[in-house]
Amino acid sequence: MRITAIKSHVLQYDLDEELGYSQQYYAKRTAHLVEVETDEGITGWGECFGGGAVAFANKTIVERVIAPLVVGMDPRDREVIWHKVYNLLRDHGQKGMPIQALSGVDIALWDIAGKACDCPVYQLMGGAFRERIPVYGYGMMLQRKNDLARRFAEESVKIRDAGFGAMKMKIGLGPKADIELVEAVRDAIGDDTGLMVDANHAYTTREAVSLGRALEKLDVAWFEEPVAPEDRQGYRDLCEALDLNIAGGEAEFTRWGFRDLVGGRCVDILQPEVCGLGGITEYLKVLALAQAHFVPVVNHVWGSAVAVGTNLHLLAALPDFPGGAHPVQPMLEYDTTPNRFREELLQEPLRISEQVKASGGSVALPTKAGLGVDPDPDFIRHFEVN
C-alpha cells in the first residue's frame, strides 16, 4: 500500500454570536481536516489543531512541506513517517504549527491502518478498557455582554439538564469578575454537578494563587491553564500552593516538550491535545511519560467531529489509573457551543449529545473500522475555503 495524495481542507462559517476566551474573541468557526489517499482505495482522515489564520498556515505546511516528503511511502509505516518528517523539520519547528500539521497527517494514517485491518483504532492500541466513556460538557465561553453572569448561569443549567454530570467554563476577565462568574454557575447548578474552569493562561502565578483559593471554596475540580505554558515554575508553585487540581498541557508538543512538564510535576492533571502535539503516534509516548510519573490524563478536545471521534478511541484504550476495583474513569471533553462541524460533518454522526441525554452522561465506544469519522464530501465542498 502506498500514499498517493495528501489533501488539506479548511472549513469555515460565520457564527451567529461571537465567542471568546481570555486571549481573543472570534466570529467564525474553523476546522482543518487532513485527507490521506492510498493506491488501494483506503482513505484516512485526521484533524489539525488551530483555527482562524493558523489553519491556513497549517494547510500550507501539510500540502507543500509534509506531503512531498511522504507521498509514495507505505501509510502503515507510521513511526518511520513521523520521524522522517520531524527530523527534516527539526531545524524549523520543534513546536507549534509544523507539529500541528504533522498531527493531522498522523491521525489519518492511524485511520487507514484501522480500515486496512478492519478493526477500530483502539484495538490497534491494545484494546478497550471500558465499554462506555463518561462525558463532561464544555461551554460558557466569554462574550462581550453586560449580563455574562446571567448567561453563564442559564447555559450551565442547560448543560446539566442535558445529562452532563460535570462541565467546564471559561474565565480570564480578572480575578474579581471570574469569581462572580463561577459563583453564578455554582449557584445555578448546585453542589452535585462537577465544575472546572479554564483561564487560557490569563494570569501571573501570584494572581492565580489568590484566585485559586477562591475557586477551592466553590468546589472547583480543576483550574486549567492558569498561567502561560512556558511558566514551568509558576505551574509548580501553583501545584504546591493550592489544594485544587492544576491542569494543563494543551499548548505543549511532542514527548520532549512534555518530558519537563510531566517530570517536573508541573500539573496534577495532564491535558494532551492529540491534534496538536504530534498525532496518535506521539500521544502514546506522552501517555507513557504521564503514567511513568503517575500523572492522571484527561485529554484536551477541541475541533470537529473528527477530533471528537479520535479521542473516543484514545479514551477507550486509556488504562485505568492507577487501577483498582472502582477506578476513576477518564472523561471525554465535549464542546456544547454551536458547531456545525461537530454535528453535521460526518456521513454517520457520532450523536454524542443524544447518547449523553439517554444514558445520563456517557457514550458508547465506536465500532466501525478505523476512526469511524468519514466526512460527508458534499458538506466539505460547501464549507471549504481557500
Side-chain angles (χ1 to χ4, degrees):
M1 187 187 304
R2 299 294 167 185
I3 297 171
T4 56
I6 299 179
K7 301 175 183 178
S8 180
H9 306 278
V10 176
L11 314 181
Q12 197 170 73
Y13 71 92
D14 294 328
L15 291 170
D16 293 333
E17 266 195 315
E18 182 183 64
L19 297 174
Y21 55 101
S22 67
Q23 304 300 320
Q24 67 171 333
Y25 296 87
Y26 57 92
K28 293 180 181 292
R29 178 75 72 180
T30 308
H32 179 194
L33 308 182
V34 174
E35 179 183 12
V36 178
E37 298 177 345
T38 69
D39 60 356
E40 294 189 11
I42 300 176
T43 297
W45 289 92
E47 181 163 357
C48 303
F49 183 66
V54 172
F56 295 101
N58 283 338
K59 175 181 173 67
T60 299
I61 297 172
V62 169
E63 294 186 336
R64 303 190 67 176
V65 179
I66 296 177
L69 296 176
V70 302
V71 167
M73 296 183 68
D74 191 322
R76 295 166 294 191
D77 293 341
R78 298 182 296 279
E79 286 282 354
V80 176
I81 290 171
W82 198 96
H83 282 276
K84 177 180 181 179
V85 173
Y86 183 81
N87 289 339
L88 291 175
L89 295 183
R90 175 181 264 129
D91 292 345
H92 312 287
Q94 299 158 26
K95 297 177 182 287
M97 289 185 286
I99 307 303
Q100 291 174 345
L102 176 56
S103 299
V105 174
D106 180 79
I107 292 169
L109 298 182
W110 279 84
D111 189 25
I112 290 170
K115 290 172 179 174
C117 295
D118 194 27
C119 68
V121 164
Y122 60 75
Q123 289 188 336
L124 297 180
M125 299 167 62
F129 284 88
R130 53 198 52 84
E131 296 181 356
R132 299 192 66 84
I133 299 171
V135 187
Y136 76 85
Y138 163 55
M140 294 161 283
M141 298 192 70
L142 301 183
Q143 293 179 293
R144 288 182 271 211
K145 305 288 185 180
N146 294 327
D147 60 343
L148 195 57
R150 178 187 64 80
R151 284 172 170 257
F152 272 28
E154 292 175 353
E155 185 178 352
S156 67
V157 170
K158 290 179 180 178
I159 295 172
R160 182 200 63 191
D161 292 348
F164 296 94
M167 65 187 69
K168 186 169 73 180
M169 60 181 287
K170 291 295 190 187
I171 60 173
L173 297 177
K176 182 179 179 181
D178 285 349
I179 293 170
E180 291 175 355
L181 288 177
V182 179
E183 285 177 339
V185 171
R186 176 53 80 195
D187 289 343
I189 63 175
D191 297 331
D192 295 333
T193 301
L195 179 62
M196 296 80 81
V197 302
D198 184 359
N200 291 107
H201 46 81
Y203 292 111
T204 65
T205 303
R206 187 169 294 279
E207 291 171 328
V209 168
S210 176
L211 176 56
R213 287 173 179 154
L215 297 176
E216 287 175 344
K217 296 177 182 178
L218 294 166
D219 196 23
V220 169
W222 76 60
F223 189 178
E224 184 170 329
E225 281 206 310
V227 297
E230 300 93 334
D231 187 6
R232 295 279 197 269
Q233 185 63 50
Y235 269 99
R236 281 193 292 269
D237 291 344
L238 286 166
C239 287
E240 293 174 359
L242 299 173
D243 289 331
L244 86 168
N245 291 306
I246 300 302
E250 71 181 78
E252 194 50 84
F253 304 87
T254 76
R255 76 201 80 166
W256 299 288
F258 279 89
R259 175 187 56 196
D260 298 332
L261 186 67
V262 173
R265 307 296 298 194
C266 297
V267 293
D268 299 304
I269 296 173
L270 190 68
Q271 297 175 302
E273 169 54 69
V274 69
C275 298
L277 64 82
I280 297 174
T281 298
E282 198 65 4
Y283 168 89
L284 293 174
K285 297 174 177 62
V286 171
L287 179 61
L289 274 172
Q291 292 174 333
H293 290 84
F294 289 90
V295 177
V297 170
V298 180
N299 295 349
H300 179 266
V301 185
W302 175 259
S304 79
V306 173
V308 175
T310 299
N311 277 276
L312 288 175
H313 291 266
L314 302 183
L315 294 171
L318 185 64
D320 292 335
F321 189 86
H326 306 285
V328 175
Q329 295 297 307
M331 295 186 292
L332 171 71
E333 177 178 8
Y334 189 70
D335 172 22
T336 63
T337 62
N339 187 344
R340 299 187 69 176
F341 301 147
R342 185 188 61 239
E343 305 295 344
E344 304 172 34
L345 171 67
L346 303 184
Q347 297 178 41
E348 295 185 24
L350 298 172
R351 296 186 173 87
I352 301 294
S353 297
E354 295 175 25
Q355 292 188 64
V356 167
K357 182 68 173 178
S359 68
S362 68
V363 295
L365 302 188
T367 57
K368 293 180 61 179
L371 293 171
V373 291
D374 293 310
D376 182 340
D378 292 333
F379 185 91
I380 287 181
R381 281 191 289 270
H382 182 75
F383 287 99
E384 189 164 13
V385 291
N386 296 312

